[in-house]
Amino acid sequence: MSSEEKEIPQNTQDLTVFVQNLLQQMQQRFQDMSDAIIQRIDDMGSRIDELEKSIGELMTQAGIEESTPALTSGEGGS
């Protein structure tokens, strides 16, 4: 039981320090996760830009104009 007593703050000052440390740890974890998420979003944005460029190049090589959405929107001849 003595090991549990060491982990549990015994007075308000110890409790305050314990809670502050816990909050700092949580804040750091959230900051790390936020940074990782933002980095992944940036990476995805770059990949999407590269994909759009590649698709544009392929369309140019195939002789397809990028401004032909009328055929897919149902305005074609029927």
Side-chain angles (χ1 to χ4, degrees), residues 9-78:
Q10 297 298 317
N11 58 39
T12 56
Q13 186 177 8
D14 290 343
L15 182 61
T16 301
V17 170
F18 176 78
V19 170
Q20 286 177 342
N21 287 337
L22 186 62
L23 290 173
Q24 286 175 350
Q25 290 172 2
M26 289 175 60
Q27 183 178 8
Q28 185 60 47
R29 288 180 184 161
F30 281 121
Q31 185 64 48
D32 292 345
M33 288 190 321
S34 177
D35 292 344
I37 289 169
I38 290 171
Q39 182 61 44
R40 288 181 181 180
I41 290 171
D42 289 344
D43 290 345
M44 278 200 301
S46 297
R47 292 162 117 185
I48 288 170
D49 290 344
E50 291 174 12
L51 181 61
E52 287 176 340
K53 182 180 174 186
S54 295
I55 289 171
E57 290 172 356
L58 289 171
M59 291 175 70
T60 301
Q61 289 175 1
I64 301 172
E65 294 183 18
E66 291 185 35
S67 60
T68 56
L71 296 176
T72 59
S73 66
E75 294 179 14
S78 69

